[in-house]
Amino acid sequence: MILEHAILPVRPGRESDFEAAMHRARPLIAAQPGFVSLSVQRSLETPNEYLLLVEWDSLEAHTEGFRTSPEYARWRELLHEFYDPFPRVEHFVEISSGTPALP
């Protein structure tokens, strides 16, 4: 399981528009092969920042699947205008006892 993480800095004053656009964008990502779950949380301390967490079956499901799909083009159209600066996306893998550390 891979966890995609991004802090989404939304242009101040555009939060309601962003939330409406995210509502429309959710089905685009949820229909992707390898998609597991999506969570979007709004910061209490910085109300124009959101935490995006997406679980994928594999890194490739996100990077080679979703990001090369027609649905991702629509996702970009709906959401990317709201970000300033553009968010940095990272991928995480769960660790557990007995699992060797990643290089």
Side-chain angles (χ1 to χ4, degrees), residues 46-101:
T46 312
N48 70 304
E49 288 189 351
Y50 295 78
L51 172 63
L52 172 75
L53 297 173
V54 184
E55 287 185 294
W56 298 96
D57 282 343
S58 67
L59 179 63
E60 294 76 21
H62 179 223
T63 59
E64 297 172 19
F66 182 51
R67 282 199 176 168
T68 62
S69 72
E71 291 82 6
Y72 182 68
R74 180 67 179 135
W75 173 275
R76 277 193 326 257
E77 290 172 10
L78 287 168
L79 298 172
H80 286 195
E81 71 175 274
F82 293 103
Y83 307 139
D84 185 27
F86 195 78
R88 185 179 78 177
V89 175
E90 293 190 19
H91 299 91
F92 295 81
V93 62
E94 185 174 355
I95 62 169
S96 61
S97 60
T99 302

Side-chain angles (χ1 to χ4, degrees), residues 1-69:
M1 190 76 59
I2 300 297
L3 181 64
E4 172 192 355
H5 161 282
I7 300 292
L8 309 177
V10 172
R11 297 174 193 276
R14 303 285 320 272
E15 295 88 353
S16 293
D17 293 336
F18 168 75
E19 290 177 19
M22 179 59 76
H23 181 74
R24 290 190 305 275
R26 281 177 180 261
L28 299 170
I29 195 170
Q32 294 302 301
F35 170 85
V36 177
S37 69
L38 169 72
S39 172
V40 181
Q41 308 290 323
R42 189 173 183 178
S43 172
L44 292 174
E45 291 79 15
T46 312
N48 70 304
E49 288 189 351
Y50 295 78
L51 172 63
L52 172 75
L53 297 173
V54 184
E55 287 185 294
W56 298 96
D57 282 343
S58 67
L59 179 63
E60 294 76 21
H62 179 223
T63 59
E64 297 172 19
F66 182 51
R67 282 199 176 168
T68 62
S69 72

